[in-house]
Amino acid sequence: MAKKHKKNKKWIARLVFLLLFIAAAVVAYLVWDNYFRDKKTEPVSEQGEEQVEPEKKVDVVDETAPEKPKVVQYDGENPNDAAELSGAVTYAGVVGDNLMIRVNIDQYLEDGECTLALLRGGNTIYNSVVRIVDNVTTATCGGFDIPLAGLGNGKTDIVINLSAGGKTGVIRGEAEI
């Protein structure tokens, strides 16, 4: 009886795996190279020749066409030249046991005062005065930190009278206590 030789076919599987691994490595390299390639270099074809990009269309300038007027940026009037002082309540809220009110004044002021009045139902429930503090291009009131005791709860109107450099103004706001 003759022995039949079994052919070992494991080498075929190893060869296929090796070829797939090499193909995956080549694809990964091409993707990596394409992703990080400097966009300033000229594209090169697979044969090593430089590819010529199609010429870009150049618009012909019509010498007789009128020029468009230049747009001038308008930033508004200079608030320092205004007849009245103006600004806004930038923050009004309860922080801990205090009602905190912060105000920004549109004009640059070195000296003056802010007079605060808190109103509820038309009645004044609190008054306070602080100095104006100068900033780089604007000013601000020194800050109002009012204890909540005695203020009660509800919507409160904020009226701040500004006075500085012979000018006056009023800033209004509201807070919920």
Side-chain angles (χ1 to χ4, degrees), residues 8-65:
N8 191 356
K9 296 188 180 186
K10 287 184 180 181
W11 68 273
I12 295 174
R14 289 181 183 153
L15 182 62
V16 169
F17 177 76
L18 181 63
L19 291 174
L20 288 175
F21 181 76
I22 291 172
V26 169
V27 168
Y29 171 75
L30 292 175
V31 168
W32 181 272
D33 186 50
N34 190 30
Y35 183 75
F36 288 107
R37 181 180 302 155
D38 186 10
K39 300 296 182 193
K40 294 179 183 176
T41 61
E42 292 294 322
V44 178
S45 68
E46 291 179 12
Q47 290 82 19
E49 301 170 0
E50 287 189 12
Q51 293 179 349
V52 178
E53 291 186 25
E55 290 186 30
K56 294 181 181 177
K57 210 179 206 183
V58 178
D59 291 334
V60 177
V61 177
D62 184 9
E63 299 288 331
T64 61

Side-chain angles (χ1 to χ4, degrees), residues 81-98:
D81 296 336
E84 291 187 359
L85 301 176
S86 60
V89 175
T90 55
Y91 181 79
V94 175
V95 177
D97 292 336
N98 291 328

Side-chain angles (χ1 to χ4, degrees), residues 78-87 104-110 132-135 137-140 162 167:
N78 184 351
N80 290 321
D81 296 336
E84 291 187 359
L85 301 176
S86 60
N104 189 43
I105 302 170
D106 296 333
Q107 291 81 8
Y108 176 77
L109 305 169
E110 292 180 353
I132 289 178
V133 179
D134 61 333
N135 251 333
T137 59
T138 62
T140 184
L162 306 172
K167 295 181 182 181

